[in-house]
Amino acid sequence: MNITNYIQFDGDNLDAAKGAGLISTIDRGMDIKVVPFESDNERAPTHRVYARSPRGHDIEVGGIWKKENQDGKPYYTLSILRYNANLGRFPGQDDASLQAIIEWEPRD
């Protein structure tokens, strides 16, 4: 794949799907993998996000949360350290299992 800032899930049901992707910015570049996470806590993430350490170990670096917009439709946010993003589709793309990582800055 010749794109950056994406997660390719292994199915269209993002709540239950595993995935792998790439985040590439001017100050970071990391291959990531996401694994579904189940919890009774309604504020818990739907997925844990892992990156590979320099020694080759998977380390947890963040999570993905499912939220609802003002119209009650679901969307997903990604948080890794101080990096925040929404997940969505690339322009002209209709594969629900491929999600673009769309960075945003948190409000103060």
Side-chain angles (χ1 to χ4, degrees), residues 1-88:
M1 189 169 294
N2 197 17
I3 57 175
T4 60
N5 300 331
Y6 73 93
I7 299 172
Q8 178 68 61
F9 288 91
D10 63 5
D12 291 348
N13 178 5
L14 300 188
D15 289 344
K18 294 179 183 177
L22 171 66
I23 295 175
S24 184
T25 67
I26 196 134
D27 63 345
R28 67 177 49 99
M30 68 177 86
D31 293 310
I32 59 171
K33 72 177 185 179
V34 298
V35 178
F37 176 73
E38 291 187 29
S39 173
D40 293 333
N41 182 343
E42 65 186 36
R43 302 186 88 194
T46 59
H47 294 78
R48 300 283 192 197
V49 179
Y50 298 90
R52 191 149 307 266
S53 76
R55 293 181 131 189
H57 301 283
D58 285 342
I59 55 173
E60 186 175 341
V61 294
I64 295 175
W65 283 262
K66 185 176 184 177
K67 299 184 177 184
E68 286 188 2
N69 67 15
Q70 294 173 341
D71 298 328
K73 294 182 180 181
Y75 71 98
Y76 295 86
T77 63
L78 167 78
S79 181
I80 298 176
L81 305 171
R82 292 185 183 106
Y83 182 87
N84 298 293
N86 287 336
L87 300 183

